[in-house]
Amino acid sequence: MKLPAPPTEKSFPSPLHQPRVAVVIGRWLGIAVTICFLTGLFSHFQQETPGWLHIPSRPASLYRVTQGLHVLSGTVAVPLLLAKLWTVYPKLFAKLPWPPSRQALANVLERLSILVLVSAMALELFIGFVNTLQWYPWPFPFKQTHYALAWIIIGALLVHLAVKLPLIVAHWRATSETVAESLPPAITGLTRRGLFRTVAGAAALAGITSVGQSVPALGPVAVLAPRKPNIGPQGLPINRTAHDAGVTGIGPDWRFTIKGPQELSYTLDELQQLPQSRSDLPIACVEGWSQGARWEGIRIRDLLQLCGAPKGSRVRVVSMEKGGFYATSELPPEFADDPLTLLALRLNGGELALDHGYPARIIAPNRPGVLQTKWVHRLEVIA
């Protein structure tokens, strides 16, 4: 029996595989990737701020917005990437020129760059989604790997765009030739406009059903969101419990210490007797969820003034947490001096729950949740 001939690029005549379709979907995917990359950089630099970068403490909800956009754009990119791959997969069956030539070498390099781009983007989106579930089934560090993959994606994407630039320019705008309705529909019965509507609808649906973890108004339809922001002790979710952090309770001998020009020490009762302030600030976590709350406590700048630290001091915050990547954090001067930054003792009108950092925690504007250190027992003026 004669075997069928292997497929070639011409075996896929559907107009849904034509360059114009790939350019349109690629444009949408490019927007999502750009937003995801830029907001991801902001989150990374919040946690590992280089010396040359100044991150302001205001707007107070900036991180809440940027990280919500980061997770949203990453979620929307999944159906867009799948649609883009489906549109261009017939290219896998295109024959390379033979005998080998400069053009053949360019084609091989182009395919290698696409392989790197697709592989890195698929892995990036997968581990990003799994991170929102707080599940880490791999041996490598998430934050560093996620950051490195982002740069690999951008590099491979720039190479791909440079190679395909003439084709992209030729099909960037619709013309009578590229959108002629006389072209036959795909085997599925979809026209190109129908495909565009389907892909846009799928991306919008993925976004709407997940963004409710950072947009309370969409909370009831957030069926894909791993978190409901207002569910948890005192109306606030918890990422790391006191048990997970090795904090089992606070004894009567607990004291809060400030190490600066003068060393000060307070019991919890003495802290509660100091002038109290209130800040309405969100907790915004790297997993994309956020929730506003009412915090009460002592301004950090007032505590620094009490110990004689000069304005513009940098502060190390030390937790009672046993181990962990964020058992200590640093407050740059712009955050330590901000009147909204508190050593919080109360949350939403009640004493802090142990899982929320009792007896004291940091709350500051425009900061990732992992840097809002819980179970604080010491501040150290380091500059």
Side-chain angles (χ1 to χ4, degrees):
M1 184 176 65
K2 186 178 179 180
L3 295 175
T8 66
E9 185 178 2
K10 293 182 179 179
S11 302
F12 306 89
S14 168
L16 302 187
H17 297 300
Q18 291 182 351
R20 170 63 184 171
V21 179
V23 168
V24 172
I25 296 178
R27 206 157 56 194
W28 298 345
L29 180 59
I31 293 171
V33 168
T34 300
I35 294 172
C36 198
F37 176 70
L38 294 177
T39 53
L41 276 186
F42 182 69
S43 180
H44 184 84
F45 287 151
Q46 278 269 22
Q47 299 175 62
E48 296 187 13
T49 308
W52 52 266
L53 183 63
H54 170 81
I55 295 180
S57 61
R58 304 293 180 96
S61 293
L62 180 59
Y63 187 79
R64 180 182 197 178
V65 173
T66 60
Q67 196 61 12
L69 280 174
H70 180 69
V71 175
L72 174 63
S73 57
T75 302
V76 167
V78 173
L80 294 178
L81 177 62
L82 293 175
K84 172 75 171 177
L85 292 178
W86 182 85
T87 299
V88 301
Y89 85 90
K91 294 292 182 183
L92 293 173
F93 302 98
K95 292 183 178 180
L96 291 174
W98 190 264
S101 62
R102 182 176 296 180
Q103 182 183 358
L105 178 60
N107 285 335
V108 170
L109 292 176
E110 178 194 350
R111 292 188 184 191
L112 287 175
S113 71
I114 293 173
L115 176 63
V116 172
L117 175 61
V118 172
S119 301
M121 191 174 295
L123 180 58
E124 181 83 324
L125 293 175
F126 172 72
I127 67 173
F129 173 73
V130 173
N131 176 65
T132 66
L133 305 176
Q134 292 188 283
W135 179 44
Y136 306 100
W138 47 72
F140 51 81
F142 168 77
K143 182 174 69 175
Q144 291 82 350
T145 304
H146 201 60
Y147 179 67
L149 281 172
W151 283 108
I152 292 172
I153 290 167
I154 292 301
L157 181 60
L158 291 175
V159 171
H160 178 64
L161 291 175
V163 171
K164 291 293 188 182
L165 187 59
L167 186 66
I168 293 171
V169 171
H171 295 274
W172 187 261
R173 293 185 180 276
T175 66
S176 58
E177 289 80 10
T178 60
V179 296
E181 292 297 333
S182 60
L183 284 172
I187 295 174
T188 59
L190 274 178
T191 62
R192 281 184 291 190
R193 286 183 179 177
L195 176 66
F196 293 153
R197 293 190 187 102
T198 300
V199 173
L205 184 63
I208 290 171
T209 54
S210 62
V211 76
Q213 64 177 352
S214 54
V215 180
L218 294 175
V221 296
V223 294
L224 295 184
R227 288 298 186 97
K228 300 294 184 184
N230 60 347
I231 296 178
Q234 298 175 278
L236 202 64
I238 293 167
N239 271 5
R240 187 167 172 82
T241 66
H243 179 269
D244 292 338
V247 180
T248 56
I250 307 300
D253 58 343
W254 179 87
R255 299 189 72 85
F256 171 77
T257 305
I258 311 172
K259 291 189 174 182
Q262 294 179 272
E263 183 168 323
L264 303 176
S265 181
Y266 298 93
T267 65
L268 180 56
D269 286 341
E270 289 170 339
L271 282 177
Q272 292 170 341
Q273 297 305 312
L274 294 176
Q276 305 288 300
S277 297
R278 169 180 161 177
S279 294
D280 293 318
L281 292 173
I283 285 286
C285 282
V286 295
E287 294 86 7
W289 68 264
S290 59
Q291 177 65 36
R294 185 175 72 256
W295 308 88
E296 296 170 81
I298 308 106
R299 289 175 176 170
I300 295 297
R301 71 178 189 181
D302 293 344
L303 290 170
L304 295 180
Q305 187 176 15
L306 286 172
C307 76
K311 188 176 181 179
S313 295
R314 179 178 293 270
V315 180
R316 179 181 293 116
V317 182
V318 183
S319 170
M320 293 182 290
E321 179 177 348
K322 306 295 191 298
F325 293 111
Y326 300 100
T328 64
S329 65
E330 288 190 10
L331 281 171
E334 56 271 25
F335 290 89
D337 290 338
D338 195 295
L340 291 179
T341 303
L342 303 180
L343 180 72
L345 308 177
R346 297 174 63 81
L347 167 61
N348 288 336
E351 187 177 71
L352 283 171
L354 183 61
D355 282 340
H356 281 311
Y358 175 84
R361 70 170 297 163
I362 293 295
I363 188 68
N366 189 29
R367 294 269 278 179
V370 292
L371 299 182
Q372 309 281 33
T373 308
K374 299 192 285 188
W375 310 293
V376 174
H377 74 113
R378 189 167 73 249
L379 297 182
E380 299 173 357
V381 180
I382 56 176

